[in-house]
Amino acid sequence: MTDSSRPLRFDLIAFDWDGTLYDSTRLIVRCIQAAVIDVGGAKPSENDAAWVIGLGLAEALARAAPDVPKEKYAELGARYRYHYLQHQDDLVLFDGVLQMIDALRARGHKLAVATGKSRRGLNEALKSVALRDRFDASRTADETFGKPHPRMLLELMEELEVPPERTLMIGDTTHDLQLALNAGCASVGVSYGAHEPESFDELKPLFVAHTVASLEAWLLDNA
């Protein structure tokens, strides 16, 4: 049983979006693969496409398609957005996310989103799943530096007036956990997203959650 009266260890909890709160990993992988094929590149493997999730879109697509020339990057991005938009309304939050977010808010945590999505993409997603008013702040890759550069998290901490030692970053990729390290923050990984949890070990997350329910339980007991 959790103790809701226990003093907070972390004032700010920052979440990655895709693969952490939003069940979008498989769709993103398929859209990356389709976009690369559309512009004449070699289809990246599922593992290669999943590895770039969490990076800014331009960097992610360039890494996933090393044989595509730079002059085709704009077209590559457009094709990715085309495929994603065809199915974005099919996407949902992982089961239990709304309950978890509301429980953390009730305990007094400040909550933020730090994502490789664009501002337009995040705003549309927040609106579609009724989460827009549940976060105190957010940063996207197109309005600051992409992960794992620390700028995104540093800006959130500055805006919400929380120091690194009182900030926790949660994500499903090594990019998220490296972001936390680079910003001087603690992290928690989730194993149900884009990256295999074995890759988290050297980045020293405090915990690796295998379900949203276990993530919520750990946060209410330890955050």
PDB file of all heavy atoms in Angstrom, residues 36-60:
ATOM      1  N   VAL A  36      10.806   5.706 -45.529  1.00  0.00           N
ATOM      2  CA  VAL A  36      12.113   5.435 -46.139  1.00  0.00           C
ATOM      3  C   VAL A  36      11.932   4.741 -47.493  1.00  0.00           C
ATOM      4  O   VAL A  36      12.584   5.101 -48.488  1.00  0.00           O
ATOM      5  CB  VAL A  36      12.984   4.588 -45.189  1.00  0.00           C
ATOM      6  CG1 VAL A  36      14.292   4.187 -45.881  1.00  0.00           C
ATOM      7  CG2 VAL A  36      13.296   5.369 -43.914  1.00  0.00           C
ATOM      8  N   ILE A  37      11.048   3.780 -47.545  1.00  0.00           N
ATOM      9  CA  ILE A  37      10.774   3.091 -48.810  1.00  0.00           C
ATOM     10  C   ILE A  37      10.228   4.064 -49.847  1.00  0.00           C
ATOM     11  O   ILE A  37      10.609   4.021 -51.030  1.00  0.00           O
ATOM     12  CB  ILE A  37       9.787   1.934 -48.576  1.00  0.00           C
ATOM     13  CG1 ILE A  37      10.447   0.833 -47.739  1.00  0.00           C
ATOM     14  CG2 ILE A  37       9.300   1.353 -49.905  1.00  0.00           C
ATOM     15  CD1 ILE A  37       9.484  -0.233 -47.265  1.00  0.00           C
ATOM     16  N   ASP A  38       9.346   4.974 -49.416  1.00  0.00           N
ATOM     17  CA  ASP A  38       8.731   5.935 -50.335  1.00  0.00           C
ATOM     18  C   ASP A  38       9.766   6.779 -51.073  1.00  0.00           C
ATOM     19  O   ASP A  38       9.552   7.173 -52.224  1.00  0.00           O
ATOM     20  CB  ASP A  38       7.780   6.871 -49.583  1.00  0.00           C
ATOM     21  CG  ASP A  38       6.470   6.192 -49.190  1.00  0.00           C
ATOM     22  OD1 ASP A  38       6.225   5.066 -49.656  1.00  0.00           O
ATOM     23  OD2 ASP A  38       5.698   6.810 -48.421  1.00  0.00           O
ATOM     24  N   VAL A  39      10.872   7.104 -50.399  1.00  0.00           N
ATOM     25  CA  VAL A  39      11.879   7.970 -51.025  1.00  0.00           C
ATOM     26  C   VAL A  39      13.031   7.175 -51.617  1.00  0.00           C
ATOM     27  O   VAL A  39      14.064   7.739 -51.986  1.00  0.00           O
ATOM     28  CB  VAL A  39      12.404   9.028 -50.037  1.00  0.00           C
ATOM     29  CG1 VAL A  39      11.272   9.909 -49.529  1.00  0.00           C
ATOM     30  CG2 VAL A  39      13.142   8.381 -48.859  1.00  0.00           C
ATOM     31  N   GLY A  40      12.865   5.859 -51.698  1.00  0.00           N
ATOM     32  CA  GLY A  40      13.855   5.037 -52.372  1.00  0.00           C
ATOM     33  C   GLY A  40      14.951   4.470 -51.505  1.00  0.00           C
ATOM     34  O   GLY A  40      15.925   3.901 -52.028  1.00  0.00           O
ATOM     35  N   GLY A  41      14.823   4.580 -50.187  1.00  0.00           N
ATOM     36  CA  GLY A  41      15.832   4.031 -49.295  1.00  0.00           C
ATOM     37  C   GLY A  41      15.569   2.581 -48.970  1.00  0.00           C
ATOM     38  O   GLY A  41      14.496   2.043 -49.249  1.00  0.00           O
ATOM     39  N   ALA A  42      16.559   1.931 -48.369  1.00  0.00           N
ATOM     40  CA  ALA A  42      16.411   0.548 -47.931  1.00  0.00           C
ATOM     41  C   ALA A  42      15.587   0.516 -46.647  1.00  0.00           C
ATOM     42  O   ALA A  42      15.847   1.282 -45.715  1.00  0.00           O
ATOM     43  CB  ALA A  42      17.779  -0.085 -47.696  1.00  0.00           C
ATOM     44  N   LYS A  43      14.613  -0.363 -46.595  1.00  0.00           N
ATOM     45  CA  LYS A  43      13.732  -0.455 -45.434  1.00  0.00           C
ATOM     46  C   LYS A  43      14.535  -0.767 -44.173  1.00  0.00           C
ATOM     47  O   LYS A  43      15.215  -1.784 -44.106  1.00  0.00           O
ATOM     48  CB  LYS A  43      12.690  -1.551 -45.658  1.00  0.00           C
ATOM     49  CG  LYS A  43      11.723  -1.749 -44.501  1.00  0.00           C
ATOM     50  CD  LYS A  43      10.753  -2.870 -44.812  1.00  0.00           C
ATOM     51  CE  LYS A  43       9.815  -3.149 -43.644  1.00  0.00           C
ATOM     52  NZ  LYS A  43       8.872  -4.258 -43.961  1.00  0.00           N
ATOM     53  N   PRO A  44      14.472   0.098 -43.170  1.00  0.00           N
ATOM     54  CA  PRO A  44      15.198  -0.196 -41.930  1.00  0.00           C
ATOM     55  C   PRO A  44      14.530  -1.334 -41.173  1.00  0.00           C
ATOM     56  O   PRO A  44      13.316  -1.550 -41.287  1.00  0.00           O
ATOM     57  CB  PRO A  44      15.107   1.119 -41.147  1.00  0.00           C
ATOM     58  CG  PRO A  44      13.902   1.814 -41.685  1.00  0.00           C
ATOM     59  CD  PRO A  44      13.786   1.402 -43.128  1.00  0.00           C
ATOM     60  N   SER A  45      15.302  -2.072 -40.409  1.00  0.00           N
ATOM     61  CA  SER A  45      14.734  -3.136 -39.588  1.00  0.00           C
ATOM     62  C   SER A  45      13.850  -2.534 -38.501  1.00  0.00           C
ATOM     63  O   SER A  45      13.938  -1.334 -38.196  1.00  0.00           O
ATOM     64  CB  SER A  45      15.846  -3.952 -38.938  1.00  0.00           C
ATOM     65  OG  SER A  45      16.519  -3.176 -37.951  1.00  0.00           O
ATOM     66  N   GLU A  46      13.017  -3.372 -37.892  1.00  0.00           N
ATOM     67  CA  GLU A  46      12.183  -2.885 -36.796  1.00  0.00           C
ATOM     68  C   GLU A  46      13.044  -2.372 -35.653  1.00  0.00           C
ATOM     69  O   GLU A  46      12.735  -1.342 -35.040  1.00  0.00           O
ATOM     70  CB  GLU A  46      11.251  -3.996 -36.306  1.00  0.00           C
ATOM     71  CG  GLU A  46      10.152  -4.346 -37.290  1.00  0.00           C
ATOM     72  CD  GLU A  46       9.110  -5.271 -36.692  1.00  0.00           C
ATOM     73  OE1 GLU A  46       9.204  -5.580 -35.483  1.00  0.00           O
ATOM     74  OE2 GLU A  46       8.205  -5.674 -37.435  1.00  0.00           O
ATOM     75  N   ASN A  47      14.141  -3.061 -35.366  1.00  0.00           N
ATOM     76  CA  ASN A  47      15.018  -2.619 -34.276  1.00  0.00           C
ATOM     77  C   ASN A  47      15.660  -1.273 -34.579  1.00  0.00           C
ATOM     78  O   ASN A  47      15.746  -0.400 -33.705  1.00  0.00           O
ATOM     79  CB  ASN A  47      16.105  -3.663 -34.013  1.00  0.00           C
ATOM     80  CG  ASN A  47      15.580  -4.870 -33.253  1.00  0.00           C
ATOM     81  OD1 ASN A  47      14.526  -4.807 -32.626  1.00  0.00           O
ATOM     82  ND2 ASN A  47      16.312  -5.967 -33.308  1.00  0.00           N
ATOM     83  N   ASP A  48      16.113  -1.091 -35.823  1.00  0.00           N
ATOM     84  CA  ASP A  48      16.750   0.174 -36.196  1.00  0.00           C
ATOM     85  C   ASP A  48      15.741   1.318 -36.172  1.00  0.00           C
ATOM     86  O   ASP A  48      16.072   2.435 -35.751  1.00  0.00           O
ATOM     87  CB  ASP A  48      17.388   0.067 -37.578  1.00  0.00           C
ATOM     88  CG  ASP A  48      18.648  -0.783 -37.582  1.00  0.00           C
ATOM     89  OD1 ASP A  48      19.174  -1.061 -36.483  1.00  0.00           O
ATOM     90  OD2 ASP A  48      19.103  -1.170 -38.677  1.00  0.00           O
ATOM     91  N   ALA A  49      14.536   1.048 -36.641  1.00  0.00           N
ATOM     92  CA  ALA A  49      13.507   2.096 -36.632  1.00  0.00           C
ATOM     93  C   ALA A  49      13.089   2.433 -35.205  1.00  0.00           C
ATOM     94  O   ALA A  49      12.869   3.605 -34.870  1.00  0.00           O
ATOM     95  CB  ALA A  49      12.302   1.653 -37.456  1.00  0.00           C
ATOM     96  N   ALA A  50      12.998   1.427 -34.351  1.00  0.00           N
ATOM     97  CA  ALA A  50      12.607   1.668 -32.964  1.00  0.00           C
ATOM     98  C   ALA A  50      13.696   2.418 -32.201  1.00  0.00           C
ATOM     99  O   ALA A  50      13.395   3.231 -31.316  1.00  0.00           O
ATOM    100  CB  ALA A  50      12.304   0.342 -32.265  1.00  0.00           C
ATOM    101  N   TRP A  51      14.970   2.170 -32.543  1.00  0.00           N
ATOM    102  CA  TRP A  51      16.068   2.807 -31.793  1.00  0.00           C
ATOM    103  C   TRP A  51      16.018   4.323 -31.893  1.00  0.00           C
ATOM    104  O   TRP A  51      16.377   5.020 -30.940  1.00  0.00           O
ATOM    105  CB  TRP A  51      17.421   2.306 -32.295  1.00  0.00           C
ATOM    106  CG  TRP A  51      18.548   2.768 -31.424  1.00  0.00           C
ATOM    107  CD1 TRP A  51      19.010   2.161 -30.302  1.00  0.00           C
ATOM    108  CD2 TRP A  51      19.308   3.979 -31.571  1.00  0.00           C
ATOM    109  NE1 TRP A  51      20.018   2.917 -29.739  1.00  0.00           N
ATOM    110  CE2 TRP A  51      20.219   4.037 -30.503  1.00  0.00           C
ATOM    111  CE3 TRP A  51      19.295   5.019 -32.512  1.00  0.00           C
ATOM    112  CZ2 TRP A  51      21.115   5.077 -30.339  1.00  0.00           C
ATOM    113  CZ3 TRP A  51      20.194   6.069 -32.351  1.00  0.00           C
ATOM    114  CH2 TRP A  51      21.090   6.091 -31.283  1.00  0.00           C
ATOM    115  N   VAL A  52      15.566   4.873 -33.027  1.00  0.00           N
ATOM    116  CA  VAL A  52      15.610   6.323 -33.208  1.00  0.00           C
ATOM    117  C   VAL A  52      14.415   7.028 -32.587  1.00  0.00           C
ATOM    118  O   VAL A  52      14.367   8.269 -32.548  1.00  0.00           O
ATOM    119  CB  VAL A  52      15.713   6.699 -34.703  1.00  0.00           C
ATOM    120  CG1 VAL A  52      16.927   6.050 -35.341  1.00  0.00           C
ATOM    121  CG2 VAL A  52      14.446   6.323 -35.475  1.00  0.00           C
ATOM    122  N   ILE A  53      13.421   6.268 -32.107  1.00  0.00           N
ATOM    123  CA  ILE A  53      12.264   6.901 -31.477  1.00  0.00           C
ATOM    124  C   ILE A  53      12.721   7.673 -30.247  1.00  0.00           C
ATOM    125  O   ILE A  53      13.500   7.191 -29.433  1.00  0.00           O
ATOM    126  CB  ILE A  53      11.213   5.841 -31.085  1.00  0.00           C
ATOM    127  CG1 ILE A  53      10.618   5.201 -32.346  1.00  0.00           C
ATOM    128  CG2 ILE A  53      10.102   6.452 -30.243  1.00  0.00           C
ATOM    129  CD1 ILE A  53       9.657   4.064 -32.070  1.00  0.00           C
ATOM    130  N   GLY A  54      12.216   8.887 -30.127  1.00  0.00           N
ATOM    131  CA  GLY A  54      12.612   9.753 -29.015  1.00  0.00           C
ATOM    132  C   GLY A  54      13.519  10.876 -29.448  1.00  0.00           C
ATOM    133  O   GLY A  54      13.594  11.918 -28.790  1.00  0.00           O
ATOM    134  N   LEU A  55      14.237  10.673 -30.557  1.00  0.00           N
ATOM    135  CA  LEU A  55      15.035  11.751 -31.130  1.00  0.00           C
ATOM    136  C   LEU A  55      14.113  12.721 -31.865  1.00  0.00           C
ATOM    137  O   LEU A  55      12.962  12.399 -32.151  1.00  0.00           O
ATOM    138  CB  LEU A  55      16.064  11.181 -32.110  1.00  0.00           C
ATOM    139  CG  LEU A  55      17.056  10.154 -31.541  1.00  0.00           C
ATOM    140  CD1 LEU A  55      17.908   9.590 -32.674  1.00  0.00           C
ATOM    141  CD2 LEU A  55      17.929  10.788 -30.469  1.00  0.00           C
ATOM    142  N   GLY A  56      14.597  13.911 -32.171  1.00  0.00           N
ATOM    143  CA  GLY A  56      13.837  14.808 -33.020  1.00  0.00           C
ATOM    144  C   GLY A  56      13.589  14.154 -34.367  1.00  0.00           C
ATOM    145  O   GLY A  56      14.382  13.318 -34.821  1.00  0.00           O
ATOM    146  N   LEU A  57      12.499  14.507 -35.039  1.00  0.00           N
ATOM    147  CA  LEU A  57      12.106  13.808 -36.259  1.00  0.00           C
ATOM    148  C   LEU A  57      13.197  13.824 -37.317  1.00  0.00           C
ATOM    149  O   LEU A  57      13.507  12.789 -37.921  1.00  0.00           O
ATOM    150  CB  LEU A  57      10.819  14.418 -36.825  1.00  0.00           C
ATOM    151  CG  LEU A  57      10.298  13.776 -38.119  1.00  0.00           C
ATOM    152  CD1 LEU A  57      10.013  12.297 -37.918  1.00  0.00           C
ATOM    153  CD2 LEU A  57       9.061  14.513 -38.619  1.00  0.00           C
ATOM    154  N   ALA A  58      13.793  14.974 -37.578  1.00  0.00           N
ATOM    155  CA  ALA A  58      14.795  15.066 -38.639  1.00  0.00           C
ATOM    156  C   ALA A  58      15.986  14.156 -38.347  1.00  0.00           C
ATOM    157  O   ALA A  58      16.455  13.417 -39.219  1.00  0.00           O
ATOM    158  CB  ALA A  58      15.247  16.514 -38.809  1.00  0.00           C
ATOM    159  N   GLU A  59      16.482  14.199 -37.103  1.00  0.00           N
ATOM    160  CA  GLU A  59      17.623  13.353 -36.743  1.00  0.00           C
ATOM    161  C   GLU A  59      17.235  11.882 -36.775  1.00  0.00           C
ATOM    162  O   GLU A  59      18.006  11.029 -37.238  1.00  0.00           O
ATOM    163  CB  GLU A  59      18.135  13.711 -35.349  1.00  0.00           C
ATOM    164  CG  GLU A  59      19.338  12.892 -34.926  1.00  0.00           C
ATOM    165  CD  GLU A  59      19.824  13.207 -33.527  1.00  0.00           C
ATOM    166  OE1 GLU A  59      19.225  14.073 -32.860  1.00  0.00           O
ATOM    167  OE2 GLU A  59      20.802  12.562 -33.094  1.00  0.00           O
ATOM    168  N   ALA A  60      16.034  11.568 -36.292  1.00  0.00           N
ATOM    169  CA  ALA A  60      15.588  10.176 -36.268  1.00  0.00           C
ATOM    170  C   ALA A  60      15.521   9.591 -37.667  1.00  0.00           C
ATOM    171  O   ALA A  60      16.020   8.485 -37.924  1.00  0.00           O
ATOM    172  CB  ALA A  60      14.218  10.088 -35.592  1.00  0.00           C
TER     173      ALA A  60
END
